[in-house]
Amino acid sequence: MTEGDAFDWLPALLVLQGVMGALDTIVNHELIEALPRRAEARGELALHSAREAVYAALFLGLGWFAWLGAAAFVIVILLVAEIVITVTDELIENRIRVLPQNERALHIFLTLNFGALLALLVPVLADWMANPAALEPSYSGWMSWALAALGIASAGWSVRDLIASRRLKLRA
C-alpha cells in the first residue's frame, strides 16, 4: 500500500473513530452513567476533556491538511498524548466504576480502530517528515467536512467536560 492509498483510508477511519467516540460519550457517559453529575468522576471527566481536545485537533488537522516535515511532529505528539490519556483513563475508570458491557465493547472497537489508524498513519508520517516543513491542503470530499463537524463537536465537548470536572471539584 502506497502513502496515497494509506492516506485515502485515514479520513474514513478518523470519521469512524469520531462516530464511535460520540456514541460512547452520549450513550455511556451521559445517558447511562451521568458522569457530569458524579463527584467521583471528576478526574475521568478531566481526562475526557483532554482526549476530546486531542481529537478535535486530529480531526481538523488531518481532515484538511498534510503535515510535512517538522510539522508532522505535531501529529505524533497528539497521537502519543491520546495513548497516554487512554491508558490513564482506563485505569481510573476501572477504579471508580463498573463499566456497562456495551461501553467495554465499544472501547475495544475504538482501540482496534485507533490501532488501524496508527498502522496506516505511521508510514504516512514518515513520508511527510522527509519533506520541508509545511502544511499542505488536503481535501477528502465529504469526509473532510465530516471531520470538521466532528472536530468542532469534540472541541465543544472538551470545554463542556472541563467545566463539569471543575464544577465537581468545587462541590467536593
Side-chain angles (χ1 to χ4, degrees):
M1 182 178 293
T2 67
E3 176 202 335
D5 294 336
F7 193 75
D8 291 342
W9 281 97
L10 285 172
L13 292 176
L14 280 167
V15 168
L16 181 59
Q17 192 78 358
V19 169
M20 288 190 298
L23 182 66
D24 185 36
T25 297
I26 293 167
V27 172
N28 293 313
H29 302 170
E30 295 296 321
L31 299 176
I32 295 174
E33 294 293 310
L35 294 181
R37 293 182 292 286
R38 296 174 62 177
E40 70 274 13
R42 74 176 184 255
E44 185 178 351
L45 284 169
L47 286 168
H48 291 176
S49 174
R51 178 190 294 123
E52 290 149 359
V54 165
Y55 273 110
L58 287 171
F59 293 151
L60 292 166
L62 291 173
W64 292 93
F65 299 100
W67 295 71
L68 304 180
F73 286 103
V74 171
I75 303 300
V76 170
I77 290 166
L78 290 170
L79 294 170
V80 170
E82 158 40 14
I83 292 167
V84 170
I85 291 166
T86 295
V87 169
T88 306
D89 184 42
E90 185 67 26
L91 295 172
I92 288 175
E93 283 176 342
N94 287 325
R95 193 178 74 235
I96 67 168
R97 65 187 177 99
V98 176
L99 273 62
Q101 293 302 305
N102 71 313
E103 184 173 3
R104 201 166 288 290
L106 192 51
H107 286 183
I108 291 168
F109 288 116
L110 282 160
T111 301
L112 289 171
N113 192 66
F114 186 75
L117 274 166
L118 286 179
L120 292 179
L121 192 52
V122 166
V124 170
L125 287 169
D127 287 344
W128 285 353
M129 287 177 189
N131 293 287
L135 282 178
E136 282 188 3
S138 175
Y139 182 67
S140 300
W142 70 268
M143 287 186 283
S144 287
W145 292 104
L147 289 169
L150 288 165
I152 292 166
S154 292
W157 213 273
S158 173
V159 171
R160 182 211 184 272
D161 277 350
L162 182 61
I163 291 169
S165 174
R166 300 252 166 128
R167 188 175 357 104
L168 290 172
K169 184 177 181 180
L170 290 174
R171 282 187 198 163

